[in-house]
Amino acid sequence: MSRSRDSRVPALSVSPSVRPSVRPSVRQSVSQQSSRSLSSAFAFSRRMAEEEPMSCDCFVSLPPGSLDDQVIFGKNSDRPRDEVQEVVHYVSARHPAGTMLECTYIQIPQVERTHAVILSKPAWMWGAEMGANDRGVCVGNEAVWTREPVAPGEALLGMDLVRLGLERGHSAWDALEVITELLERHGQGGQCREDPTQAFSYHNTFLLADRKQAWVLETAGRLWVARKISEGVTNISNGLTIGTEISAEHPRLRSEALARGWWDGRGDFDFSRIFGTDQPPLRMRLAQERYRGGARLLRQHDGSLTAEVMMSILRDKSSGICMDSNGFRTTASMVSILPRDGSLPCIHFFTATPDPSRSIFKPHIFTEDYTPALGVVSPQFGGDDPARKQPRFRERVDRRHQLYKAHQEALDAADKDPEKAAATYEILRDLEAQCLSEISAMLSGQIPGDELGNLFFDCVDTEIKFYQ
């Protein structure tokens, strides 16, 4: 592909015969994936359950789990099916002393300096489901329920903590320390969906990664425990996974467990057994099944994990990783490449649209010459936003961004002309493959990274035009 400012993406055409030129290995991989997924790419395969299967999944691969000398991070964000998720970029900034920061529900003191971040976030809240910063740190969160009751009232959402960890942490461990310190000081809680008629609040587990290591952080109220990951593949879902393999913990974790009669003080301290719910609801059992399915997919690719493989895992329907139920679905997805070589840039792919089996991943690279992709930024309502006014959520507003609208219109049109829809989707998947090919060439030193700084903007713009 030519790398002039306006030609980093394939020429637009409505003809299904137009195909970008991609490397044979990448083209073959995409063709194989497309043949498996095209039949369901534009069909709503909603799995019904007795209880809405709230879910999310995070994955990480460190060498030797990865094919190359890279850390690969991935996450599906499963949220209420009509919720819009936007992708926003914030530059690094300095803040005057004494500044207060308005999070989703509460204010906290701002720090002097914040990192540049790229976030995939529900459009109504301040926090994010997942994202990365310009220091090569990625963070994602999952909902969990434990023996510790969810505190009433408004505090920091788990999504607020994701964003705060990214804005303030220069490594995965540093971001973990940011999150746990804020958790202990301000607590976690508050309504987690834009609907006053359905109470929905939970505790959180987090997966944090950088170029060198990853951490699983699990919480119960203001208490927490963490496990360090130095190599191999790991996933988390909507359940506790840390047993006795504890690398760090809240200083009063064990004394609190003793005081509540959950632990007798003898033998190994098993966090998931001690703090896990005695009789998990259906959503927890479904999460356990999905966790095992995700672990199985990781094991199948252990030693050969790449960004493309991670995308295929996030698109997997049979395991439930890519979900589409009556009430919840995968509303956005993210995959990141974090090279161990610090001289190489990190690359962060986002869909900005629901269901990765019907969406494409678009790459973002932190550069000084960055053009904001406003096509994936939702409308702003300021002080009139129903999420900010009291009482909250008494009205509904249209938060759909331009790409979301175009994507949904394409899905609606697919019912009338499935063959044309499938052809359009295959062209877009070729665009995705071509981006992956260029990224691979950049990471191997064949082309300079600064020439790809606006690739995210170009891909968003191209995808919107293809749908139109």
Side-chain angles (χ1 to χ4, degrees), residues 143-298:
V144 291
W145 289 265
T146 71
R147 296 178 72 175
E148 176 75 12
V150 177
E154 296 182 341
L156 289 174
L157 291 179
M159 287 68 73
D160 293 339
L161 292 167
V162 168
R163 179 170 174 177
L164 289 163
L166 290 170
E167 288 188 344
R168 302 180 181 192
H170 59 265
S171 68
W173 170 252
D174 194 44
L176 185 150
E177 288 192 304
V178 168
I179 291 173
T180 55
E181 193 239 337
L182 291 170
L183 180 68
E184 293 173 30
R185 183 184 306 176
H186 302 286
Q188 60 179 320
Q191 174 74 344
C192 293
R193 67 186 299 171
E194 195 179 11
D195 187 344
T197 65
Q198 300 191 45
F200 187 55
S201 188
Y202 46 77
H203 296 153
N204 292 266
T205 178
F206 304 85
L207 184 61
L208 309 94
D210 59 29
R211 296 175 186 264
K212 298 180 180 179
Q213 61 189 21
W215 286 85
V216 174
L217 170 63
E218 298 182 349
T219 71
R222 297 177 189 243
L223 302 174
W224 59 272
V225 66
R227 177 169 65 92
K228 182 180 179 180
I229 304 161
S230 299
E231 62 180 18
V233 295
T234 298
N235 66 308
I236 63 172
S237 192
N238 298 109
L240 302 179
T241 63
I242 299 178
T244 60
E245 311 86 5
I246 297 173
S247 305
E249 64 186 76
H250 188 287
R252 298 190 303 277
L253 178 69
R254 303 189 188 213
S255 61
E256 289 287 342
L258 272 169
R260 300 176 196 195
W262 297 345
W263 182 48
D264 60 10
R266 294 177 296 189
D268 293 333
F269 185 87
D270 187 318
F271 178 75
S272 62
R273 179 180 61 80
I274 294 168
F275 279 84
T277 55
D278 293 329
Q279 294 181 336
L282 176 60
R283 62 188 171 202
M284 298 296 290
R285 296 198 298 273
L286 292 172
Q288 291 168 0
E289 293 176 7
R290 208 178 55 256
Y291 168 75
R292 289 191 289 268
R296 184 171 58 252
L297 290 169
L298 284 178

Side-chain angles (χ1 to χ4, degrees), residues 251-405:
R252 298 190 303 277
L253 178 69
R254 303 189 188 213
S255 61
E256 289 287 342
L258 272 169
R260 300 176 196 195
W262 297 345
W263 182 48
D264 60 10
R266 294 177 296 189
D268 293 333
F269 185 87
D270 187 318
F271 178 75
S272 62
R273 179 180 61 80
I274 294 168
F275 279 84
T277 55
D278 293 329
Q279 294 181 336
L282 176 60
R283 62 188 171 202
M284 298 296 290
R285 296 198 298 273
L286 292 172
Q288 291 168 0
E289 293 176 7
R290 208 178 55 256
Y291 168 75
R292 289 191 289 268
R296 184 171 58 252
L297 290 169
L298 284 178
R299 287 195 300 271
Q300 290 174 2
H301 298 284
D302 193 0
S304 60
L305 251 293
T306 63
E308 288 171 280
V309 171
M310 188 65 79
M311 291 173 188
S312 72
I313 290 174
L314 298 185
R315 285 172 166 142
D316 192 84
K317 292 276 191 181
S318 60
S319 64
I321 300 301
C322 180
M323 71 159 297
D324 196 353
S325 75
N326 188 46
F328 286 78
R329 67 175 170 183
T330 300
T331 55
S333 304
M334 170 185 175
V335 170
S336 291
I337 303 172
L338 313 177
R340 289 289 184 91
D341 183 348
S343 67
L344 297 174
C346 297
I347 300 95
H348 312 285
F349 296 83
F350 297 91
T351 60
T353 51
D355 193 338
S357 74
R358 301 180 271 136
S359 299
I360 64 167
F361 289 86
K362 299 162 280 290
H364 171 276
I365 302 174
F366 285 99
T367 62
E368 293 184 2
D369 179 25
Y370 177 75
T371 302
L374 299 182
V376 290
V377 177
S378 294
Q380 303 298 303
F381 300 94
D384 292 328
D385 195 314
R388 299 180 63 181
K389 295 192 299 184
Q390 294 286 353
R392 302 187 194 275
F393 311 125
R394 298 302 181 186
E395 305 168 33
R396 296 302 298 266
V397 291
D398 187 354
R399 301 189 187 275
R400 296 175 300 164
H401 49 70
Q402 189 178 3
L403 178 59
Y404 187 98
K405 290 180 179 179

